[in-house]
Amino acid sequence: MRLLLIWLINAIALLILPYIVSGIQLKGIGTALIVAIVLGLINAFLRPLLVVLTLPVTVLSLGLFIFVINALLFWFASHVVKGFEVSGFWAALFGSLLYSLISWILSALVFGGDRATSV
């Protein structure tokens, strides 16, 4: 049940993004649900590999390169799912940051701030 709520929270966060970032377009709730799954899978499998491969750059940039990785993976998700469009790198960067922030805020409201310890 908790996993379904997290999935819905992430989809809602995705639905909010086009109203904040002009370079992001999303067709509807069904597309948001699919993108939430795709982003979850990308972050579970591809992101750890990229973080390890780019570790020297990440250390030299004091961790800021992680934002670049997140933006590129967010942008990659837009190429995988039809109906989800990100117009460029900067839209992907701001979109990935806001997606994380909105998702975190909504999760804190729903779960009372204990999401990270119980998943």
Side-chain angles (χ1 to χ4, degrees):
M1 182 67 175
R2 188 173 181 90
L3 189 60
L4 286 174
L5 281 174
I6 293 170
W7 177 41
L8 288 174
I9 287 169
N10 289 336
I12 291 168
L14 283 165
L15 287 170
I16 295 170
L17 285 180
Y19 297 105
I20 301 171
V21 181
S22 62
I24 296 176
Q25 295 178 356
L26 192 63
K27 286 208 175 183
I29 185 87
T31 306
L33 291 169
I34 293 170
V35 173
I37 290 174
V38 169
L39 281 172
L41 292 172
I42 287 172
N43 284 328
F45 295 109
L46 201 54
R47 186 176 183 270
L49 178 66
L50 289 175
V51 169
V52 169
L53 290 175
T54 61
L55 192 60
V57 177
T58 302
V59 170
L60 286 174
S61 69
L62 303 174
L64 294 176
F65 195 72
I66 295 291
F67 292 119
V68 174
I69 292 171
N70 289 341
L72 292 174
L73 292 176
F74 193 79
W75 200 5
F76 175 68
S78 74
H79 292 291
V80 172
V81 180
K82 292 184 181 186
F84 177 54
E85 296 177 17
V86 178
S87 65
F89 175 77
W90 292 109
L93 180 68
F94 294 128
S96 66
L97 287 171
L98 288 172
Y99 171 66
S100 298
L101 182 67
I102 294 167
S103 177
W104 174 71
I105 290 170
L106 291 175
S107 294
L109 290 172
V110 171
F111 298 117
D114 63 33
R115 174 182 171 195
T117 59
S118 301
V119 174

